[in-house]
Amino acid sequence: MNRKVKIFTGIFFSLIIFAGAFYFITVKLVKRSLPQYSGEITAAGIKQDVKIYRDKNGVPYIYAGSDEDAAFALGYVHAQERLFQMDMLRRAGEGRLSEIIGSKTVPVDKMFKTLGLYENVKQILPNLSADTRRILEAYAKGVNSYIRDAKGKYQIEFSLLNYEPYPWKPEHSLVIAKLMAWELNISWWADIAYTHLVQKLGIDKALDVIPDYPQNAPFIVPPGIKNFAYVPDGMVEVDRMYRSFMGFTGTHIGSNSWVVNGNMSVSGKPVLANDPHLAFQAPGKWVVAVIRGGGWNAEGFTLPGLPAVVIGKNENIAWGTTNVMADDADFYLEKLDSTKSNYFLDGQWRPLAVARDSVIVKDSSTVYFEIKKTHRGPLVSDIHTNNFLMNTSGINKPPLSMRWTALEPSDEFKAIFSLNKAGGWNEFKEALRNFTVPGQNFMYADKEGNIGYVCAAKLPVRNFVSPAFVYDGTTSASDWRGFVPYDEMPNVFNPKENYLASANNKTVADFKYHISNLWEPASRIERITELLNSKPRHSADDFVKYQNDIYSPYAKEIVSYIAPAFKGIKINDKNLSDALNLLSKWEPYLYPQSGVPSIYASFFQHLMKNIFEDEMGEQLFNEFIFLANIPYRVVQKLLRENKSSWFDDSNTSQIEGRDEIIRRSLADALEELENRLGPDMKKWQWGKLHTITFKHLFHGRSSLFDHFGDIGPYEIGGDGTTVFNTEYSFVSPYDVTLGPSMRFVYDFNRPGFFEYVLPAGQSGHILSPHYKDMTSYWLNGKMYKAYLDEDKTRQMELLTLRHE
């Protein structure tokens, strides 16, 4: 053996040994942090012993003698399974990510400190109800008990980032609730995008691409908006950074929920279904739990960091939620004096409220900055040092302030905890009086056979119906005039149709107050309604099938315009001829094994580009399509009306119409698919393009960690318009980013269990058997049963928390 071969062999085997040792140490470190599911643990802070049973999926069944002890145990369980996730969320809300991440997250920390989320919850905590504070404090004690017990053996992520968690406070639970509201708050993105459209292309051109205009008339564009200085969008960029960093990459935020009464169910009792659509990540959003503690007896879906069942049931009622899509935030262009310490309002200068703050940065200097506020809210235009997504050099960049209902005094926790204990419709409805953000449609059913619906949101009352634009901050006429009284909010009890359904569609046909202009495309609610009217009675098993339905009424309509556009056109290309034939015969089920969805999806992608990009430009176009529900609805509207100047390509001398753009878009789609998947159409399966990976926060930093931390990829069907929502970004198609964060079905005729599934699992520990044990069921439309019989519970693995 020559010397080079010996050296190579030595290096090769050394690397193998090193990799093996690294793997062994890492696996050992990870396994050491796995939660204890059996035995006894002494816990300071509880009044009596608490029993925590776990089923085969790691679902905890908490048996406690009081509400406080149950909250303590839930805090302990959440910390056992999801402490790193909880810690990252509270750090984001506090503006403390950079302490462990470094300079990368400084803009994110500045954003949330400027918004004042943590300062807000610190101010409102003393004014919350005594019951709220009592449960929050007990929960915090439970989290801290685990933090003490687990010292030296925290989740592997803490070791990789080289830090330890600090004690939990009640404020941390509240700030996580605010962060959930922030994730679901999408209306303000449209405000900035549409203002940019007006500034670049004019009012008439912009109004043509506002969904539902003129249905929501009177619709008033703020006076002088065309002459406003360029509207800064630095906060949009920073928010995208935050969502990308945390894995919240979906924007087509939506959900499905429906309920039928006994007249429409096979069982003769109400049946309720819910699947909230949120950004996918690993671990996921929810922890399923069953709680039995004093007067608190509820089961369903909890959010790590919050001591309550957010969606679920008790012995009397069941409830589900969908996003209202409420327009609950506004921006205002302000005018400052030369000292930047006063702002102009109603002909007078008023002093800005100014506070100094800082962001501590790992391995770097502390960043100091000022937070300035008007009477409406903070100035948010200087959050990012670069400030702007678009090329705005030489343009005057005015200060921008923001008002958001989440920064108003509220007690959402009291609302949710009251739901957990509600005995019927009146208590349910009264509980939601305290609910502010994120605005939710609450579906309801009870054991007496009633069904109902409540729109729970804090809606601003404005002087102008101009929900899609930035306001003039120099006049108090732009101020909110208060909020819609709760007693005037939409609600329904026992409708004559015998069912209720919500898929983020328009809440009511006629409502004297503005709710939103960002409704989801009607496709999901149309399909749900079609399924509910397809036969006289439905079972829980039917509801599970409906939740996994991948038929798109939206795709059916869009495709219907293609064949007529080619009428009379000579076709010489075989793939084009075959594609037209396939599309004309297609029943729009978006199966992953089928190639037709690939043709349709690529066609739609190029259709958007060919309609809008020539006039918007690439950057504004990407801003416009970032919120997926807007282009979905606008393209549908333009195709139906067939009279918009948007179809004309401004780069050519001729005037193009709808059909020319349709033909061009299909040709572009076929070219894309031929380049990506080859010329053989038989190999164009949708699942090859449309895949899903549940990504860990550390995704992309190490292929070895990705192997353990990521779940997937998997081929998947559907799209953003199917009941089984598998949204992908129009900016970078076709990987799935958002969809059912859980599925829940409950039949009141079967009180012994409820059905559920999560996309991943209960645990955040990457080597836990419960990290991804539900993924197969979720992908294949199957459900687990959480049995509620105490005899079954006693056969499960038991961990006892002993009081001191």
Side-chain angles (χ1 to χ4, degrees), residues 405-436:
T405 56
L407 301 179
E408 306 290 327
S410 60
D411 193 350
E412 286 81 14
F413 179 77
K414 180 180 179 181
I416 294 298
F417 197 65
S418 297
L419 282 190
N420 283 207
K421 295 185 172 187
W425 171 252
N426 290 333
E427 292 181 11
F428 170 84
K429 189 178 174 183
E430 186 60 28
L432 293 174
R433 184 179 296 275
N434 296 292
F435 196 89
T436 298

Short mmCIF file of all heavy atoms in Angstrom, two decimals, residues 405-436:
data_model
loop_
_atom_site.label_atom_id
_atom_site.label_comp_id
_atom_site.label_asym_id
_atom_site.label_seq_id
_atom_site.Cartn_x
_atom_site.Cartn_y
_atom_site.Cartn_z
N THR A 405 -55.61 46.46 17.06
CA THR A 405 -56.51 46.19 18.18
C THR A 405 -55.87 45.31 19.25
O THR A 405 -56.29 45.36 20.41
CB THR A 405 -57.80 45.50 17.68
OG1 THR A 405 -57.46 44.31 16.97
CG2 THR A 405 -58.60 46.42 16.78
N ALA A 406 -54.87 44.53 18.90
CA ALA A 406 -54.21 43.67 19.89
C ALA A 406 -53.50 44.48 20.96
O ALA A 406 -53.19 43.95 22.04
CB ALA A 406 -53.23 42.73 19.22
N LEU A 407 -53.24 45.76 20.68
CA LEU A 407 -52.58 46.60 21.68
C LEU A 407 -53.58 47.36 22.54
O LEU A 407 -53.18 48.19 23.37
CB LEU A 407 -51.63 47.58 20.96
CG LEU A 407 -50.54 46.91 20.12
CD1 LEU A 407 -49.67 47.96 19.44
CD2 LEU A 407 -49.68 45.98 20.97
N GLU A 408 -54.85 47.06 22.36
CA GLU A 408 -55.89 47.62 23.22
C GLU A 408 -56.08 46.70 24.44
O GLU A 408 -55.78 45.51 24.38
CB GLU A 408 -57.22 47.72 22.46
CG GLU A 408 -57.15 48.46 21.14
CD GLU A 408 -56.93 49.95 21.33
OE1 GLU A 408 -57.44 50.50 22.33
OE2 GLU A 408 -56.25 50.55 20.48
N PRO A 409 -56.56 47.21 25.56
CA PRO A 409 -56.81 46.36 26.73
C PRO A 409 -57.80 45.25 26.40
O PRO A 409 -58.83 45.48 25.76
CB PRO A 409 -57.41 47.34 27.75
CG PRO A 409 -56.93 48.69 27.33
CD PRO A 409 -56.84 48.64 25.83
N SER A 410 -57.49 44.03 26.82
CA SER A 410 -58.36 42.88 26.53
C SER A 410 -58.01 41.74 27.47
O SER A 410 -56.98 41.76 28.15
CB SER A 410 -58.20 42.43 25.07
OG SER A 410 -56.86 42.04 24.81
N ASP A 411 -58.85 40.73 27.48
CA ASP A 411 -58.63 39.55 28.33
C ASP A 411 -59.09 38.31 27.57
O ASP A 411 -60.07 37.67 27.92
CB ASP A 411 -59.37 39.70 29.66
CG ASP A 411 -58.93 38.67 30.70
OD1 ASP A 411 -58.19 37.73 30.33
OD2 ASP A 411 -59.32 38.79 31.88
N GLU A 412 -58.35 37.98 26.48
CA GLU A 412 -58.70 36.82 25.69
C GLU A 412 -58.64 35.53 26.50
O GLU A 412 -59.42 34.60 26.27
CB GLU A 412 -57.79 36.68 24.47
CG GLU A 412 -58.06 37.66 23.36
CD GLU A 412 -57.44 39.02 23.62
OE1 GLU A 412 -56.58 39.11 24.53
OE2 GLU A 412 -57.81 39.98 22.94
N PHE A 413 -57.71 35.48 27.46
CA PHE A 413 -57.59 34.25 28.23
C PHE A 413 -58.86 34.00 29.04
O PHE A 413 -59.33 32.85 29.15
CB PHE A 413 -56.38 34.28 29.16
CG PHE A 413 -56.27 33.04 29.98
CD1 PHE A 413 -55.79 31.87 29.42
CD2 PHE A 413 -56.72 33.01 31.29
CE1 PHE A 413 -55.73 30.71 30.16
CE2 PHE A 413 -56.67 31.86 32.04
CZ PHE A 413 -56.17 30.69 31.48
N LYS A 414 -59.44 35.05 29.60
CA LYS A 414 -60.68 34.88 30.34
C LYS A 414 -61.77 34.31 29.42
O LYS A 414 -62.55 33.44 29.84
CB LYS A 414 -61.15 36.22 30.92
CG LYS A 414 -62.46 36.11 31.70
CD LYS A 414 -62.88 37.47 32.25
CE LYS A 414 -64.20 37.34 33.02
NZ LYS A 414 -64.66 38.66 33.55
N ALA A 415 -61.78 34.79 28.17
CA ALA A 415 -62.78 34.29 27.21
C ALA A 415 -62.60 32.80 26.96
O ALA A 415 -63.55 32.02 27.05
CB ALA A 415 -62.68 35.07 25.90
N ILE A 416 -61.37 32.38 26.68
CA ILE A 416 -61.13 30.98 26.35
C ILE A 416 -61.32 30.09 27.57
O ILE A 416 -61.91 29.00 27.47
CB ILE A 416 -59.71 30.81 25.78
CG1 ILE A 416 -59.60 31.53 24.43
CG2 ILE A 416 -59.37 29.34 25.60
CD1 ILE A 416 -60.52 31.01 23.36
N PHE A 417 -60.86 30.54 28.73
CA PHE A 417 -61.02 29.72 29.93
C PHE A 417 -62.51 29.59 30.29
O PHE A 417 -62.97 28.54 30.75
CB PHE A 417 -60.24 30.32 31.10
CG PHE A 417 -60.03 29.36 32.24
CD1 PHE A 417 -59.25 28.23 32.06
CD2 PHE A 417 -60.61 29.59 33.47
CE1 PHE A 417 -59.06 27.33 33.11
CE2 PHE A 417 -60.43 28.70 34.52
CZ PHE A 417 -59.64 27.57 34.33
N SER A 418 -63.26 30.65 30.05
CA SER A 418 -64.70 30.59 30.29
C SER A 418 -65.37 29.62 29.31
O SER A 418 -66.32 28.93 29.67
CB SER A 418 -65.33 31.98 30.16
OG SER A 418 -64.81 32.86 31.15
N LEU A 419 -64.87 29.58 28.07
CA LEU A 419 -65.39 28.60 27.11
C LEU A 419 -65.17 27.18 27.63
O LEU A 419 -66.03 26.31 27.48
CB LEU A 419 -64.68 28.73 25.76
CG LEU A 419 -65.08 29.84 24.79
CD1 LEU A 419 -64.41 29.61 23.45
CD2 LEU A 419 -66.58 29.92 24.62
N ASN A 420 -64.00 26.95 28.21
CA ASN A 420 -63.68 25.62 28.72
C ASN A 420 -64.70 25.15 29.74
O ASN A 420 -64.94 23.95 29.90
CB ASN A 420 -62.29 25.62 29.37
CG ASN A 420 -61.14 25.59 28.38
OD1 ASN A 420 -60.06 25.11 28.67
ND2 ASN A 420 -61.35 26.12 27.19
N LYS A 421 -65.34 26.12 30.43
CA LYS A 421 -66.29 25.77 31.50
C LYS A 421 -67.74 26.02 31.12
O LYS A 421 -68.64 25.75 31.92
CB LYS A 421 -65.96 26.57 32.76
CG LYS A 421 -64.60 26.25 33.37
CD LYS A 421 -64.42 27.00 34.67
CE LYS A 421 -63.18 26.56 35.42
NZ LYS A 421 -63.10 27.18 36.76
N ALA A 422 -67.99 26.53 29.92
CA ALA A 422 -69.35 26.93 29.54
C ALA A 422 -70.30 25.74 29.54
O ALA A 422 -69.96 24.64 29.09
CB ALA A 422 -69.34 27.60 28.17
N GLY A 423 -71.52 25.99 30.03
CA GLY A 423 -72.51 24.93 30.10
C GLY A 423 -73.55 24.95 29.00
O GLY A 423 -74.34 24.02 28.88
N GLY A 424 -73.56 26.00 28.19
CA GLY A 424 -74.56 26.11 27.14
C GLY A 424 -74.35 27.36 26.31
O GLY A 424 -73.36 28.10 26.48
N TRP A 425 -75.30 27.63 25.42
CA TRP A 425 -75.19 28.73 24.47
C TRP A 425 -75.00 30.08 25.13
O TRP A 425 -74.14 30.86 24.73
CB TRP A 425 -76.41 28.74 23.56
CG TRP A 425 -76.51 29.95 22.67
CD1 TRP A 425 -77.39 30.98 22.79
CD2 TRP A 425 -75.70 30.24 21.53
NE1 TRP A 425 -77.18 31.91 21.80
CE2 TRP A 425 -76.15 31.48 21.00
CE3 TRP A 425 -74.64 29.60 20.90
CZ2 TRP A 425 -75.57 32.07 19.88
CZ3 TRP A 425 -74.06 30.19 19.77
CH2 TRP A 425 -74.53 31.40 19.28
N ASN A 426 -75.78 30.39 26.13
CA ASN A 426 -75.70 31.71 26.75
C ASN A 426 -74.33 31.94 27.40
O ASN A 426 -73.75 33.03 27.28
CB ASN A 426 -76.82 31.89 27.77
CG ASN A 426 -78.19 32.01 27.12
OD1 ASN A 426 -78.30 32.44 25.97
ND2 ASN A 426 -79.23 31.63 27.84
N GLU A 427 -73.82 30.93 28.08
CA GLU A 427 -72.50 31.07 28.70
C GLU A 427 -71.41 31.14 27.63
O GLU A 427 -70.43 31.88 27.78
CB GLU A 427 -72.24 29.91 29.66
CG GLU A 427 -73.12 29.94 30.90
CD GLU A 427 -72.83 28.79 31.85
OE1 GLU A 427 -71.81 28.09 31.64
OE2 GLU A 427 -73.61 28.58 32.79
N PHE A 428 -71.55 30.37 26.59
CA PHE A 428 -70.62 30.39 25.47
C PHE A 428 -70.57 31.79 24.84
O PHE A 428 -69.49 32.37 24.65
CB PHE A 428 -71.06 29.36 24.44
CG PHE A 428 -70.34 29.41 23.12
CD1 PHE A 428 -69.14 28.76 22.95
CD2 PHE A 428 -70.89 30.07 22.02
CE1 PHE A 428 -68.48 28.78 21.73
CE2 PHE A 428 -70.24 30.09 20.80
CZ PHE A 428 -69.03 29.45 20.66
N LYS A 429 -71.74 32.32 24.54
CA LYS A 429 -71.82 33.64 23.89
C LYS A 429 -71.29 34.73 24.81
O LYS A 429 -70.57 35.63 24.35
CB LYS A 429 -73.27 33.90 23.50
CG LYS A 429 -73.48 35.13 22.64
CD LYS A 429 -74.96 35.26 22.27
CE LYS A 429 -75.21 36.57 21.53
NZ LYS A 429 -76.64 36.76 21.23
N GLU A 430 -71.60 34.64 26.08
CA GLU A 430 -71.13 35.66 27.02
C GLU A 430 -69.62 35.59 27.20
O GLU A 430 -68.95 36.62 27.35
CB GLU A 430 -71.83 35.50 28.37
CG GLU A 430 -71.53 36.60 29.37
CD GLU A 430 -71.93 37.99 28.87
OE1 GLU A 430 -72.88 38.10 28.06
OE2 GLU A 430 -71.29 38.98 29.31
N ALA A 431 -69.06 34.38 27.18
CA ALA A 431 -67.61 34.24 27.33
C ALA A 431 -66.87 34.98 26.23
O ALA A 431 -65.84 35.63 26.48
CB ALA A 431 -67.24 32.76 27.31
N LEU A 432 -67.39 34.95 25.03
CA LEU A 432 -66.71 35.54 23.89
C LEU A 432 -66.79 37.07 23.87
O LEU A 432 -66.15 37.71 23.04
CB LEU A 432 -67.26 34.96 22.59
CG LEU A 432 -66.96 33.47 22.39
CD1 LEU A 432 -67.66 32.93 21.15
CD2 LEU A 432 -65.46 33.24 22.30
N ARG A 433 -67.55 37.63 24.77
CA ARG A 433 -67.59 39.09 24.90
C ARG A 433 -66.19 39.64 25.18
O ARG A 433 -65.87 40.77 24.82
CB ARG A 433 -68.56 39.47 26.01
CG ARG A 433 -68.76 40.97 26.18
CD ARG A 433 -69.78 41.26 27.29
NE ARG A 433 -71.10 40.73 26.97
CZ ARG A 433 -72.00 41.38 26.24
NH1 ARG A 433 -71.72 42.57 25.74
NH2 ARG A 433 -73.19 40.83 26.01
N ASN A 434 -65.36 38.83 25.82
CA ASN A 434 -64.02 39.28 26.20
C ASN A 434 -62.96 38.99 25.14
O ASN A 434 -61.79 39.28 25.34
CB ASN A 434 -63.60 38.59 27.51
CG ASN A 434 -64.47 38.99 28.67
OD1 ASN A 434 -64.46 40.12 29.11
ND2 ASN A 434 -65.26 38.03 29.17
N PHE A 435 -63.39 38.40 24.02
CA PHE A 435 -62.41 37.99 23.02
C PHE A 435 -62.15 39.12 22.03
O PHE A 435 -63.07 39.66 21.45
CB PHE A 435 -62.90 36.74 22.28
CG PHE A 435 -61.82 36.02 21.53
CD1 PHE A 435 -61.07 35.05 22.15
CD2 PHE A 435 -61.54 36.33 20.21
CE1 PHE A 435 -60.07 34.38 21.48
CE2 PHE A 435 -60.54 35.68 19.52
CZ PHE A 435 -59.80 34.70 20.16
N THR A 436 -60.86 39.44 21.81
CA THR A 436 -60.49 40.55 20.94
C THR A 436 -59.72 40.09 19.71
O THR A 436 -60.14 40.29 18.58
CB THR A 436 -59.64 41.59 21.72
OG1 THR A 436 -60.43 42.11 22.78
CG2 THR A 436 -59.20 42.73 20.81
#
